[in-house]
Structure formats: structure tokens, C-alpha cells
Amino acid sequence: MTYIDRLSKQRFNNWTEGVKTVAISGHIRPDGDCVGSCLGLCTYLLDQDPALCVDVYLDPIPEEFRFLKHADRIRQENEENRIYDLCIILDCSDPDRMNRAQSVFAQAGRTLCIDHHITNEGFGDLSIVCPESSSTCELLYYLIKEHNIFGDGSISIDCAVALYLGIVHDTGVFRHTNTTMETMMAAGELIRCGINTEKIINDTFFRKTYIQNQLLGKALTESMLVLDGRMIFSVLYRKDFSLLKATQQDTDGIIDQLRVTEGIHAALFLYESGEGEFKVSLRSDEYVDVSVIAGEFGGGGHIRAAGCTMNGTVHDIVNNIASRVEMQLEKKEDCPGDSHEETERDELS
Ligand code: 5GP
Ligand code: MN
């Protein structure tokens, strides 16, 4: 049974019945899937009922996503102290990560969480968490289209652009192993709506500013191999950012370049986010489950892409993570063939 069939067992009919005001939010430091799902759903709800009041609460979004329809509705504060009939949290693996909407969520008439992070334990009145889905945008597509969760299932071109953008970003343009037949079918249907796929992929995923490329270059030049070449890590400090006039948003894509290094099973990227505080990004191949490692340090994510925030020296952080990666690699050597790839296939079949 596929996850789409399993979804039909959930009770989520009539979620917008009687609802006049909706708040939508995602996670801190919003990425393509978070922005795509929030604005895609906002567009869909307004297409269905233009009289609805829909507000989107997110941190300011990266420049390349600002062309999306209703991006101008994104706000950081609830200045009017509005109490919403419904609050929907998308792509957010735990309630601590939705800092912009904490109080909006707490006061809303009903709450709904839609997500695809394996570490999401569920929160809100109803949680729809599907780790088999490549992205929240893919999951949302099926909820809208196959399960008519918020309306009649008709997707406008503006909604399709947002959903396609999120799928593209979370799959690394359909390259990561989270790309399934369902992902490609959803993408195909969105293309049928008439979207410009080349523009979405090139302008929002591949294009880098000069500063972003300089930051990437610095991270690559200073990267180091550890665990006999089985893991790579790189660190950027606050002084690197000020020297290059870069911001945290300019780090997007650095971990993806580290992860393609030949011979490695895990990639680690850190940047200094505060005094003695580092934002940690982890990526892996089929031998290492980084969601478990990030979870141990208070973070979360997916089996092959996860993150957390850690305090301490770079030396200690890298050692702590490398020792856990090594433990997993040793376990794998003891039991060859026991890879997550098989676990995932089993779960899907
Ligand atoms: P990234 O490395 O691109 O920031 O994040 C990779 C994945 O891990 C994303 O799905 C992201 O939502 C998740 N993630 C990153 N940082 C954290 C964190 O601090 N806590 C949790 N729960 N998930 C995180
Ligand atoms: Mn996502």
C-alpha cells in the first residue's frame, strides 16, 4: 500500500467548513519546500474562496522565492492580535521550530500539521506526517488533488509553480533518493498546469550570487576529510560572513556540494550562528542515518538530510558527530546488506 492510499484512512474532511480566517506557517529559516508549501496552500485556499482571510507567518524569505504569488502576504508579527479559525503548520518537524506562529497556533480555533519529517512526532489537533513523501509540497499536492482536503482539487498555475518549486528544492532537482514514482507523477501533473520548469529550477535552485559563490568557495577550500576519508566537514565563522558581506541565507547549497565528494558516507557543514553556537547540517548516503544523530543533539530531519544547533567548540562538535557516524559505519560493516535503502523499500511495498 502506498502512502497515498494510507492517507485516505485519515479523517480530514471538511477542514475548512465554517472557516473564515486561516493562518499558515512553516519552520524557521524557511527553505524552498517550506515557502513553496505555505504559499502554494495560501494560493489554493484563495483560489477556492477569494473571500477567505489568509495570512502567512514566516521569517523573511530568500530573494529568489519572492516572485511567488502572495509572497507579499508574508508577515512576521500578528499586530492586530487576530485569532484565526484555523492554523496550518507546514514542513515543520516540531513546534519549537515555528517561532513566528507560536502564539497564533496556540490561540487558533483548530490546528493542523502537515509534514514529511521522520522525526515529527505529531502536534496540533490533526497531524498528517508522511516521511515517504519527498517534500511537504508533494504531500500537499496529493492531499489537494486526490483527497480534496481543502476544496475541489483544481490547481491554478500559480499554485502549481509554488508546489513544483518545493518538490524541486527538497529533492535537489529530482536527484536525491527521496524522489519516488509518486514524486515524478505529482511533478508531471504540475507541469501539465503549464508552469515554466526551467525558470523555477535555474532561477531558484542553481543560480548563485557572486557572494554565495565566494562563500561556497571558502567552505570547499577549507573543508577537511576525517574518518579516513569517509566523512567531510567544513566550518564558516561569523568573521567569514562579515568579510564577504554574506548572510546565513547565502549558505544554501554548500552542504550539497560537500556531499558529492567521492568516497564519503557523511558530510557535515557548520556555521557560527551565535557566540559559541553553530548551526549544523548533515547529509549521508545509505550507510548512515543522520536523523538519529541530529535527534541526539536536539534537532531532527530525514534519514539522509538532517540538522540541529550545537554549542561548544568546533573541535568538540566535529568529534561528537564523527564518533556517531563512525559507530554507524562500524555497525554496517558488521551487518552488510542492512541498509536504509532496503528498509525504505520495505516500508513502501
Ligand atoms: P538543512 O541542513 O538543510 O538545514 O536541514 C536538513 C533537514 O533537517 C531539513 O529537513 C530541516 O527541516 C531539518 N532540520 C535542520 N535543522 C533542524 C533542527 O535544528 N531541528 C529539527 N528538528 N530539524 C532540523
Ligand atoms: Mn521539506
Side-chain angles (χ1 to χ4, degrees), residues 87-300:
C87 178
I88 306 167
I89 307 295
L90 296 158
D91 199 39
C92 181
S93 55
D94 75 66
D96 288 348
R97 301 199 81 219
M98 54 160 172
N99 61 346
R100 294 291 175 189
Q102 300 269 3
S103 61
V104 164
F105 181 82
Q107 295 178 63
R110 34 184 143 141
T111 55
L112 173 59
C113 162
I114 300 177
D115 185 32
H116 71 129
H117 290 92
I118 195 164
T119 50
N120 190 329
E121 291 170 357
F123 58 93
D125 296 329
L126 177 66
S127 279
I128 305 173
V129 179
C130 281
E132 302 99 321
S133 189
S134 70
S135 49
T136 301
C137 281
E138 177 189 325
L139 177 56
L140 198 53
Y141 167 83
Y142 284 111
L143 290 172
I144 288 173
K145 199 79 192 169
E146 308 255 318
H147 301 282
N148 295 108
I149 175 166
F150 298 117
D152 67 10
S154 52
I155 292 181
S156 67
I157 186 159
D158 293 320
C159 175
V161 168
L163 296 183
Y164 187 84
L165 183 149
I167 296 175
V168 159
H169 278 255
D170 261 21
T171 58
V173 194
F174 310 107
R175 289 173 305 162
H176 302 330
T177 48
N178 58 355
T179 308
T180 63
M181 188 183 77
E182 283 80 11
T183 314
M184 300 310 275
M185 282 164 48
E189 289 300 325
L190 294 170
I191 291 171
R192 200 204 289 271
C193 297
I195 61 177
N196 182 342
T197 56
E198 191 204 347
K199 183 176 154 53
I200 296 168
I201 293 171
N202 286 337
D203 292 3
T204 76
F205 190 88
F206 287 114
R207 177 158 304 134
K208 299 284 170 210
T209 63
Y210 178 68
I211 288 174
Q212 286 166 345
N213 271 339
Q214 293 233 304
L215 204 63
L216 170 67
K218 183 152 187 63
L220 295 181
T221 310
E222 294 183 4
S223 64
M224 287 175 72
L225 292 170
V226 288
L227 303 181
D228 298 324
R230 292 173 299 166
M231 177 171 148
I232 191 166
F233 80 90
S234 188
V235 191
L236 289 175
Y237 296 91
R238 279 191 288 183
K239 65 175 169 32
D240 301 319
F241 287 89
S242 51
L243 206 69
L244 295 171
K245 297 191 172 48
T247 68
Q248 297 180 354
Q249 287 185 349
D250 294 317
T251 58
D252 243 25
I254 293 180
I255 187 70
D256 294 312
Q257 198 55 44
L258 291 170
R259 88 186 299 181
V260 296
T261 312
E262 191 171 11
I264 60 122
H265 294 298
L268 164 65
F269 171 62
L270 314 174
Y271 69 78
E272 198 179 5
S273 48
E275 190 66 44
E277 181 194 271
F278 290 86
K279 182 76 192 75
V280 175
S281 279
L282 284 158
R283 299 291 185 272
S284 62
D285 62 9
E286 72 267 29
Y287 293 108
V288 180
D289 180 344
V290 285
S291 71
V292 173
I293 300 174
E296 264 191 72
F297 296 107

